[in-house]
Amino acid sequence: MRQNNNRPMQHRKASPGIHPGPTRKMQPKVPVLLRNPLRTAAGYLYDRLRLDGREMKLSHELTELGCGKKNSVRDYYVQKISAMLLIVLSCIVLLLTVLAMEHRKNRSVPGGLLERPGYGESGTDQSLNLTISGEAESESVDVHLDPRLYTTAQARHLLKLAEEEFLQKLPGENPSSDAVRGNLCIPDSLQDGAVSAEYYITPAGIVEEDGSITGNVDETGTLITIAATLTCQKEQRVVECTALLFPPRLSPEEALQKKIRDAVESAQTENPSGSRLQLPEEVDGRKLYWSYQQEPAVRMLLVLILILPAAFWVHADSRVRDSAKARKAQLELDYSQFLWKLTMLLSAGLTIRGSFTRIAAQYE
């Protein structure tokens, strides 16, 4: 007789300790402090400062906006403090970056190519850092860049144009060189730097090299002669002209500035061998206070660090108040409609519970 092999299959029990299917690798828990250090620091500051007790009206508005949610006030302040800390840290990092770039500008020369000065410009010096393969330290190397050269015909033509430009610029803001009461315009270069100029002014000691009138000028006029030597590469041209000087008319502010400059120059000549210069403390009966100028970028970043967090703090509170005001206005508008719906549903035979359920479903 054949044996019946159609026996029901028996399910084997899995042995303890053996789990079918892929196992999930347990991830190590990260401390809360490392997850969001700014939020942790903000929570610590909130607990220490107890900000919720200082703005009771704002806390009440936050509770209403959160529909009575627990810790809604604390979550708001923690989020705002963490955002403000992020702003402050970003500004500080930016400030440190700007300071580091100002103190050390180390840029590589792309392709080893240096831009030479243009035609007629003076030569320039570049201080570069040179690093040799195999050497650990770099060394400083000064490279002189010669300008591009003009042809002789181009140089002579530029000298002619420079002479016309010099005679035109010489009076400066004065009506003409025959009635000079303000500073003369004595440029160091002409034709966009292509021509250099040197001057010899007689009598000496009346007009400085920058064109300012520093000497005594007679009321009837003082005549000076200006000899300009114009140079373009190896070509030169000498131009002579005269100017009639009169005492300048100074406003009270300009007169005070002149006295301050004269006082500084006098302090320079009193002790030329000294290691320090004593600036004047008083001029014309007015106290003088001296201070160093700050870099514009550093000054702007310092202002941002002081103003931006405070502005963010006030703006966040203002948004909460606006949201609370809008919510209150919306509730006042919906109140009459809610009463009308409730009355109609009760009149239709619904219970109070069913009426509220119907109205809530419509809002959702």
Side-chain angles (χ1 to χ4, degrees):
M1 296 179 65
R2 294 182 179 179
Q3 296 181 354
N4 188 8
N5 294 328
N6 298 327
R7 297 179 179 177
M9 296 181 63
Q10 298 180 355
H11 298 281
R12 296 182 179 179
K13 296 183 179 180
S15 58
I18 300 177
H19 302 279
T23 59
R24 181 178 297 176
K25 187 177 180 181
M26 299 296 293
Q27 297 292 336
K29 292 185 177 181
V30 181
V32 179
L33 181 61
L34 298 180
R35 294 178 187 174
N36 195 339
L38 290 180
R39 190 173 181 84
T40 304
Y44 174 78
L45 292 176
Y46 171 81
D47 296 334
R48 295 283 294 180
L49 299 177
R50 298 181 180 178
L51 298 175
D52 54 347
R54 301 184 180 183
E55 292 285 346
M56 298 300 299
K57 183 178 179 181
L58 182 64
S59 300
H60 179 69
E61 293 174 346
L62 289 170
T63 305
E64 289 182 348
L65 291 174
C67 299
K69 182 182 177 182
K70 187 179 180 181
N71 294 332
S72 58
V73 178
R74 187 179 190 277
D75 292 341
Y76 166 75
Y77 276 105
V78 168
Q79 183 179 2
K80 187 169 71 169
I81 294 174
S82 60
M84 191 178 66
L85 291 176
L86 180 61
I87 292 174
V88 173
L89 289 178
S90 301
C91 292
I92 292 176
V93 171
L94 184 60
L95 175 63
L96 295 177
T97 303
V98 172
L99 292 176
M101 292 177 62
E102 288 183 355
H103 283 82
R104 182 177 182 181
K105 296 181 180 179
N106 187 9
R107 296 177 295 139
S108 60
V109 180
L113 299 175
L114 294 177
E115 191 72 22
R116 296 173 60 184
Y119 290 108
E121 297 180 0
S122 58
T124 59
D125 294 323
Q126 288 280 354
S127 296
L128 304 175
N129 289 330
L130 174 62
T131 303
I132 304 175
S133 60
E135 299 290 337
E137 297 182 357
S138 60
E139 57 180 334
S140 178
V141 177
D142 294 332
V143 178
H144 181 75
L145 298 174
D146 293 325
R148 302 175 68 180
L149 298 179
Y150 291 107
T151 62
T152 303
Q154 289 176 331
R156 291 175 179 176
H157 180 66
L158 286 172
L159 287 175
K160 183 179 179 180
L161 296 177
E163 178 181 356
E164 297 175 357
E165 182 183 357
F166 165 69
L167 295 176
Q168 182 180 3
K169 287 185 174 181
L170 180 63
E173 297 182 357
N174 299 284
S176 67
S177 57
D178 295 332
V180 178
R181 292 187 178 274
N183 296 338
L184 294 171
C185 180
I186 304 180
D188 295 332
S189 60
L190 300 165
Q191 292 299 301
D192 296 330
V195 178
S196 61
E198 295 182 356
Y199 303 95
Y200 181 74
I201 303 174
T202 55
I206 298 179
V207 178
E208 297 294 332
E209 294 181 356
D210 58 355
S212 60
I213 302 174
T214 57
N216 295 326
V217 179
D218 193 84
E219 292 290 341
T220 59
T222 301
L223 186 66
I224 63 170
T225 302
I226 303 174
T229 302
L230 308 180
T231 304
C232 181
Q233 295 178 176
K234 296 182 179 180
E235 301 294 325
Q236 287 188 345
R237 190 185 189 98
V238 179
V239 182
E240 289 189 0
C241 60
T242 59
L244 188 60
L245 309 182
F246 295 92
R249 298 188 181 97
L250 300 178
S251 64
E253 293 78 9
E254 293 174 342
L256 179 61
Q257 293 294 330
K258 185 177 184 303
K259 290 180 180 180
I260 294 175
R261 290 193 297 268
D262 294 341
V264 173
E265 292 294 332
S266 177
Q268 290 271 21
T269 57
E270 284 182 0
N271 188 15
S273 61
S275 59
R276 295 181 179 180
L277 172 65
Q278 178 62 54
L279 296 172
E281 299 179 355
E282 183 178 355
V283 170
D284 203 11
R286 303 179 67 175
K287 290 287 186 179
L288 303 180
Y289 303 94
W290 303 86
S291 60
Y292 290 102
Q293 292 184 353
Q294 293 182 345
E295 293 294 331
V298 176
R299 190 186 305 116
M300 185 178 298
L301 288 176
L302 290 176
V303 172
L304 285 177
I305 291 175
L306 295 176
I307 293 179
L308 198 58
F312 172 79
W313 185 275
V314 175
H315 178 67
D317 291 345
S318 177
R319 290 182 60 185
V320 171
R321 292 188 177 94
D322 293 341
S323 300
K325 188 181 296 183
R327 179 180 177 273
K328 184 178 179 180
Q330 186 66 36
L331 290 175
E332 292 176 353
L333 291 175
D334 292 345
Y335 181 69
S336 59
Q337 188 178 7
F338 167 76
L339 290 180
W340 179 80
K341 289 182 180 180
L342 181 62
T343 304
M344 295 297 294
L345 292 174
L346 291 176
S347 300
L350 271 71
T351 61
I352 294 179
R353 181 175 182 180
S355 300
F356 274 99
T357 303
R358 180 73 63 84
I359 294 174
Q362 291 179 358
Y363 272 104
E364 290 178 357

